[in-house]
Amino acid sequence: MAGTPFSQQVLKPTNAAKKLGVYLPATPPEFQEHGITRAELEKLEEQPPEWLSELRRNGPHPRPVVAGRLGVSIAGLARGGITDPLTTEQINELRGDPPEWLVRERETAEKVRAEEERVAAEAAQAAKKEARENR
């Protein structure tokens, strides 16, 4: 892949940070100021430098990562008043002693997941039925 046009495509720093799951303002200035090729991104994922490992381990983490670690949606974070990135320590504090909004949002997220699974199962059943009827 190293020489293909796709691997030489340059990503903006915001997109590269998103793909790496890190908060852009916490990355080194050289990462923030320059584009990164997909080949370079792949190398960062395979052999992360210390700054990347540290960010992934301790944060600050972007909202999608915070939401995932807390088991809620990004909208749920906003409803709970969390609009800024959080560190791993802050996330762990919320997990250890969850405020009421977090408990409520986790319940909501679980209901949404259950409904999505139910709908997917129904769709799979309908597809199987249709396949049997078309034989």
Side-chain angles (χ1 to χ4, degrees), residues 22-88:
V22 295
Y23 182 57
L24 181 61
T27 61
E30 59 272 8
F31 184 88
Q32 295 177 39
E33 296 166 1
H34 304 290
I36 181 172
T37 66
R38 289 188 180 274
E40 292 168 332
L41 180 71
E42 190 175 294
K43 185 177 178 188
L44 284 173
E45 289 174 333
E46 291 172 1
Q47 301 170 1
E50 184 55 35
W51 65 264
L52 180 54
S53 296
E54 179 69 20
L55 274 179
R56 285 177 167 170
R57 188 173 31 255
N58 298 316
H61 303 287
R63 286 180 301 159
V65 173
V66 173
R69 289 187 178 190
L70 291 175
V72 299
S73 67
I74 294 173
L77 282 180
R79 285 189 293 269
I82 306 294
T83 56
D84 294 328
L86 298 179
T87 63
T88 299

Side-chain angles (χ1 to χ4, degrees), residues 71-122:
V72 299
S73 67
I74 294 173
L77 282 180
R79 285 189 293 269
I82 306 294
T83 56
D84 294 328
L86 298 179
T87 63
T88 299
E89 184 178 331
Q90 292 168 314
I91 293 169
N92 289 339
E93 286 174 11
L94 286 171
R95 284 167 141 173
D97 186 18
E100 186 179 322
W101 71 264
L102 181 55
V103 173
R104 189 173 54 249
E105 289 299 333
R106 283 179 171 169
E107 290 170 357
T108 299
E110 183 55 38
K111 288 176 186 173
V112 168
R113 280 191 288 276
E115 179 64 9
E116 287 173 347
E117 289 174 8
R118 184 192 66 76
V119 169
E122 284 182 6

